[in-house]
Amino acid sequence: MNAKRQERDLLAGVRVVDFTQFEAGTSCTEVLAWLGAEVVKIENPRTGDPGRRLPRGRAPGEPWPDPYYFHMFNANKKSVTLDLKTPRGLELAKELLQKADVTAENLAPGTIERLGLGYDVVQSLNPGIIYCQIKGFGEGSPYEKGLAFDMIAQACGGPISVTGEPGRPPAKPGPSFGDTGTGMLMASTILAALLQRRLTGKGCRLQLAMQDAMLHYMRTCFATQARTGKPAPRRGAKSVAGNNVPSGLYPCKPGGSNDYVYITTSRANPEHWRRLLKLIGREELLGDPRYDSHEARLGHEKEVDAIVSDWTRRHTKEEAMRLVSGVGVPAGAVFDTMELMNDESFETRGILQVMQHPETGPFKMPSWPVRIDGAPPSLKPSPMLGEHNAEVLRDWLQLPASAIDALHDDGVM
Amino acid sequence: MNAKRQERDLLAGVRVVDFTQFEAGTSCTEVLAWLGAEVVKIENPRTGDPGRRLPRGRAPGEPWPDPYYFHMFNANKKSVTLDLKTPRGLELAKELLQKADVTAENLAPGTIERLGLGYDVVQSLNPGIIYCQIKGFGEGSPYEKGLAFDMIAQACGGPISVTGEPGRPPAKPGPSFGDTGTGMLMASTILAALLQRRLTGKGCRLQLAMQDAMLHYMRTCFATQARTGKPAPRRGAKSVAGNNVPSGLYPCKPGGSNDYVYITTSRANPEHWRRLLKLIGREELLGDPRYDSHEARLGHEKEVDAIVSDWTRRHTKEEAMRLVSGVGVPAGAVFDTMELMNDESFETRGILQVMQHPETGPFKMPSWPVRIDGAPPSLKPSPMLGEHNAEVLRDWLQLPASAIDALHDDGVM
């Protein structure tokens, strides 16, 4: 690791005791890990984070290594196994919490308290700790005991109501915005709390519900409702606000299921429409009153879309993107996961990096996409279950190797 | 403001010079503002942030106050107007940057450099500054000069390819995940960089592309591709991974466009299916080999969905959610923006708060949804254009009122 790399470990020295599982919690603590914190997953010695047990795509009977899903949300972390239902396991967890700056969990409602690691207990052990909880629904909500996964958050928090085609049933946004979208809000708040703690020495309790987090991403939809007086609608490929024409997905050759280009013209810049007309060879429409203002085009959306589609159908999505973008009009091809994975630019720029995992082998995946002084942080493998038992108990608690062996023999680890 | 409130200003004392516009940038600096930083928008004296000029929903000819869209992304900030194309305006911006901890911009590619405020200039003025740039595409990408809005990021970064119904054109996820989803990644990184700076005194340069940010939210889709060897598909209301049955949207009475409940059963917990069968009165199917394992149900998805729908159609979405969730199975009604806005629980818990804006009047909107020691930060109004000219130039630069009057007279502010 060279000096430049080390500078990117912005959170070097920050210790996190991590009880998170699946994605809403793990995506949050993984941000801290990517940015250089020492994040220690505390896992059940038998099964670990249930995210390790999701389908891996192997034939039945073959060994079941950790799935890609697990690697995605646990890169750069460490793993310590502790049976929290044993007195010694619980005691060790408490000793680790006394050494930690941050702890986080997204277990089912009531679980962390039943384990004996609720906020009051941990705060009394370590008044400086940032104690973080992610749940499906907020404390005091009528649904506060309800379980949630990504899709439940996207249903109850609004995203599903505004996704899909008009007049048809709603669709779920494909990405796991309900999970990772929640984790990101908690990550920022943890870091702000750490900044305050460096001044005051005091910790705090942070709580976030996945349903509540979704409202944060729905703000343009709430603005549309405030403007129109009606619930924000589903508009297929078009934006919920519906202010701009042309704006939408336009079909490209050769007509495959993702052969579309998104083109949008901004109301804030009337030049977009004129540039587009020139590019597509329809200068005769410059100044045509049917199309010359945003208001006029709003009343002729179908005709405008047909004018644009006539041109896009003669180009591939990549050509259309390059040409439209080249004249200063916002445009983007619809890329699928395979096209993205095969685009070398992402690997060259460090946005996709290769995880060298002892069981999975080399595996290319998204890293933290923010460049810090020119490059994103380096990707390290997700931990094997219990991989860091000896290292963490030695470094944090000064336990000798013999004591760690005994813990394994006793089934505590 | 009581003592408890003040403790929630985690970033008190942090100063931000904010050149952001629209949403990808403003959503980022707004996080800092909500968490207590002093965020000063630098705006063009004539039009301000173009986000102020989006449609407000008034009749033509009426005054055009800031739209709801603007309030959403600029709460708790201050506004200073400076004409950066005048020598004195540029000089004042540089003086403010010398006093700042963070600066951020998401102007079109090349704009900030043409204004004379590129990274090298600002870093030499203030070596401790965290200098942040958000663009549509990454430096070194073939599209690096391209403009982007939310929908362009969602097209080029993958989300649109996995959203919509199988066999139909793709749809855009309705929420502005492309914008706010980007802003959230930059916000965390800024705060981590501030933590490092408190130790080293050194600033850094942070760069994030909206296309790259979308890959971060696409990780479950990339995991699906890695497992199946095919691009992640569109699956309508179902999850892209397609591992769990039953899982999806089920129709409820009275059959309106958002009368659906999302029900999902986790492969990690085989009890979910058994609990559901008992609840819906289909105990006779317990142990039926067609349905008794996840693998078996995957082969009978249509029949399973019909069994669940037969029951959900007899309930409203709220009833279905309450009953299914009540037996420990993840469930969530599809709520639209109006239902969410009218649900009192959000206001009681501080997740929705009322902005008291001098022109718009009281306006209920989402606040930062993380509870800090029990409550989210307090919402303050978005600034009027130039509202804080005198205050900021006095507090940061010790300029007297007479100097500020002269700047107004000269058209610099």
Side-chain angles (χ1 to χ4, degrees), chain B residues 250-269:
Chain B
Y250 298 94
C252 295
K253 70 177 191 187
S257 65
N258 284 309
D259 286 328
Y260 293 87
V261 64
Y262 212 112
I263 298 175
T264 195
T265 54
S266 171
R267 177 179 285 263
N269 189 343

Side-chain angles (χ1 to χ4, degrees), chain A residues 77-93:
Chain A
K77 297 183 190 176
K78 297 182 178 177
S79 167
V80 164
T81 50
L82 284 179
D83 184 345
L84 298 174
K85 292 179 178 161
T86 65
R88 182 72 179 125
L90 183 63
E91 187 184 296
L92 285 166

Side-chain angles (χ1 to χ4, degrees), chain A residues 7 10-11 23 30 34-35 55 68-69 72-73 137-139 141-143 146-147 149 151-152 155-163 165 168-177 180 184-185 187-189 191-193 195-196 198-199 202 204-208 211-212 215-220 222-223 225-227 229 231-232 234 236-237 240 243 249 257-258 260 262 264 267 321 325 328 330-338 340-341 345-346 349 351 366 368-373, chain B residues 7 10-11 23 30 34-35 55-57 68-69 72-73 137-139 141 143 146-147 149 151-152 155-163 165 168-172 174-177 180 184-185 187-189 191-193 195-196 198-199 202 204-208 211-212 215-220 222-223 225-227 229 231-232 234 236-237 240 243 249 257-258 260 262 264 267 321 325 328 330-338 340-341 345-346 349 351 366 368-373:
Chain A
E7 280 178 21
L10 301 176
L11 300 177
E23 179 179 345
E30 191 191 42
W34 266 325
L35 295 174
Y68 298 110
Y69 172 89
M72 294 281 182
F73 301 106
F137 301 94
E139 203 175 68
S141 149
Y143 312 111
L147 300 174
F149 288 95
M151 51 286 255
I152 305 301
C156 296
I160 286 180
S161 75
V162 292
T163 302
E165 300 178 45
R168 296 181 63 86
K172 192 189 91 69
S176 48
F177 294 120
T180 287
M184 296 308 100
L185 307 191
S188 283
T189 317
L191 292 164
L195 273 158
Q196 188 186 57
R198 290 231 173 126
L199 298 178
K202 285 175 64 178
C204 62
R205 182 184 198 179
L206 304 179
Q207 294 166 285
L208 177 58
Q211 181 190 32
D212 300 348
L215 271 53
H216 179 74
Y217 294 93
M218 287 286 291
R219 289 178 292 162
T220 51
F222 283 117
Q225 172 177 297
R227 183 164 54 81
R234 289 192 279 285
V240 167
N243 292 326
L249 283 182
S257 66
N258 284 310
Y260 293 86
Y262 212 113
T264 196
R267 177 180 285 261
M321 178 181 178
S325 188
V334 173
F335 291 127
D336 69 26
T337 51
M338 193 70 83
L340 292 167
M341 195 50 70
S345 165
F346 293 108
R349 296 183 290 114
I351 305 302
W368 185 245
V370 184
R371 290 174 159 192
I372 303 165
D373 287 335
Chain B
E7 281 178 20
L10 300 175
L11 300 177
E23 179 179 348
E30 191 191 42
W34 266 325
L35 294 174
R56 168 67 173 71
Y68 297 110
Y69 172 89
M72 294 281 183
F73 300 106
F137 301 94
E139 203 176 70
S141 150
Y143 311 112
L147 300 173
F149 288 94
M151 50 287 255
I152 305 300
C156 295
I160 286 180
S161 75
V162 293
T163 301
E165 299 179 44
R168 294 181 65 88
K172 191 188 93 69
S176 48
F177 293 120
T180 287
M184 296 307 101
L185 308 191
S188 283
T189 317
L191 293 165
L195 273 157
Q196 187 186 57
R198 290 233 173 125
L199 299 177
K202 285 175 62 179
C204 61
R205 182 184 198 179
L206 304 180
Q207 294 166 285
L208 177 58
Q211 183 191 31
D212 300 348
L215 271 55
H216 178 75
Y217 295 94
M218 287 286 291
R219 290 179 292 162
T220 50
F222 284 116
Q225 172 177 297
R227 182 164 55 81
R234 288 193 279 285
V240 167
N243 293 326
L249 283 183
S257 65
N258 284 309
Y260 293 87
Y262 212 112
T264 195
R267 177 179 285 263
M321 177 181 181
S325 188
V334 173
F335 291 128
D336 69 26
T337 51
M338 193 69 84
L340 292 167
M341 196 50 71
S345 165
F346 294 108
R349 297 183 291 114
I351 304 304
W368 184 246
V370 185
R371 290 174 161 192
I372 303 165
D373 287 335

